Amino acid sequence: MTAMVKAEGVHKSFGTVQVLKGIDLEVAPQEVFCLVGPSGSGKSTFLRCINHLEKINAGRLYVDGDLVGYRQQGDKLYELRDSEVALKRRDIGMVFQRFNLFPHMTAVENVMEAPVQVKGESRAVARARAEQLLDRVGLSDKAANYPSQLSGGQQQRVAIARALAMEPKLMLFDEPTSALDPELVGDVLDVMRDLASDGMTMIVVTHEMGFAREVGDALVFMDDGVVVEAGHPRDVLTNPRHERTKAFLSKVL
């Protein structure tokens, strides 16, 4: 079975700062894969490399068997054109910390936009699907509201619906609850649980250890640009082997 995501020796630097120092990991189809670790450990950068929002400096990164951002001929790698990258990025949904909704569009218009502009769907078809997706995330009554009229948790659920509108085979979540008030976190996590139970492949950068333990199939602890420890979430969280993992978990659990 082809891994949905496979990283081989992935390095990423910003100037002289090495952020990723040789990441090796695999994410199976339909797996909920959680990335945890302190701020600055490289988790979000790695996520952004998966859909080529950041270019890697060394190594190989594959999504569903295809190289991300490059094609290989013989021993050489050739960078794909922006249009080719954009085409592949359609298959990867991304939900950011800050919801990044278009402020001048209603919730339903935000969800419709990409299928109409990128896939060329008719507005009628896109609207019907957008309404279904808003219903799925519990916001059918907010379709006509603008982002400024929604709470942070509601905006994040619209952002998830917007990512799902492109029917991705992989969903990336970059700390989707960290900007939310505590009482709004549960609604967003419920939507993510629902996605997981439907078999969506998900990579989740998170500080929500309860979610990782309950929903995750695999968990990686990253620190200083490397994978320190990996395993089943319950094993890593209840019985970490590395001192660095123990020290981190003692502060967050």
Side-chain angles (χ1 to χ4, degrees), residues 7-235:
E8 298 176 345
V10 169
H11 286 74
K12 173 65 185 174
S13 298
F14 294 103
T16 57
V17 180
Q18 265 199 308
V19 181
L20 301 177
K21 304 172 183 175
I23 301 294
D24 294 295
L25 56 80
E26 279 193 29
V27 181
Q30 301 194 325
E31 193 167 53
V32 178
F33 191 96
C34 297
L35 284 174
V36 305
S39 295
S41 58
K43 309 180 302 294
S44 295
T45 298
F46 178 68
L47 214 58
R48 291 170 66 84
C49 290
I50 293 172
N51 64 359
H52 208 56
L53 288 173
E54 300 289 354
K55 298 174 186 178
I56 66 176
N57 301 115
R60 297 278 193 279
L61 194 49
Y62 301 88
V63 171
D64 204 15
D66 290 334
L67 263 177
V68 174
Y70 300 89
R71 61 186 164 82
Q72 187 162 349
Q73 283 186 323
D75 300 340
K76 287 197 170 167
L77 285 184
Y78 296 91
E79 191 164 354
L80 298 178
R81 294 194 300 272
D82 288 348
S83 59
E84 296 172 290
V85 171
L87 203 60
K88 289 185 181 293
R89 200 179 279 143
R90 287 164 37 158
D91 293 330
I92 305 172
M94 185 147 185
V95 178
F96 299 88
Q97 243 173 313
R98 302 275 170 189
F99 330 114
N100 291 5
L101 298 177
F102 299 116
H104 61 290
M105 294 182 182
T106 63
V108 76
E109 288 166 347
N110 263 281
V111 179
M112 289 168 59
E113 182 69 3
V116 170
Q117 298 297 338
V118 180
K119 283 188 168 178
E121 278 186 12
S122 75
R123 293 190 71 79
V125 168
R127 178 175 283 274
R129 176 144 171 77
E131 287 171 349
Q132 283 177 342
L133 287 166
L134 287 174
D135 185 47
R136 179 174 184 179
V137 300
L139 291 173
S140 53
D141 58 331
K142 303 291 185 187
N145 288 43
Y146 289 91
S148 61
Q149 299 168 314
L150 301 172
S151 71
Q154 289 168 337
Q155 288 185 60
Q156 193 60 293
R157 284 185 281 155
V158 173
I160 294 172
R162 181 177 64 177
L164 291 173
M166 291 296 284
E167 300 180 306
K169 56 189 170 189
L170 169 66
M171 285 282 281
L172 309 176
F173 292 89
D174 189 7
E175 298 189 22
T177 59
S178 64
L180 302 180
D181 292 334
E183 68 267 25
L184 302 176
V185 167
D187 291 337
V188 173
L189 293 180
D190 284 345
V191 171
M192 294 169 65
R193 280 188 193 92
D194 178 49
L195 282 179
S197 65
D198 273 2
M200 174 64 77
T201 311
M202 298 158 62
I203 303 180
V204 186
V205 173
T206 186
H207 294 295
E208 300 290 339
M209 299 302 159
F211 174 85
R213 183 189 286 115
E214 175 198 344
V215 183
D217 300 302
L219 182 141
V220 156
F221 170 66
M222 282 177 66
D223 187 34
D224 197 27
V226 298
V227 172
V228 176
E229 190 159 348
H232 191 278
R234 286 194 186 89
D235 297 338

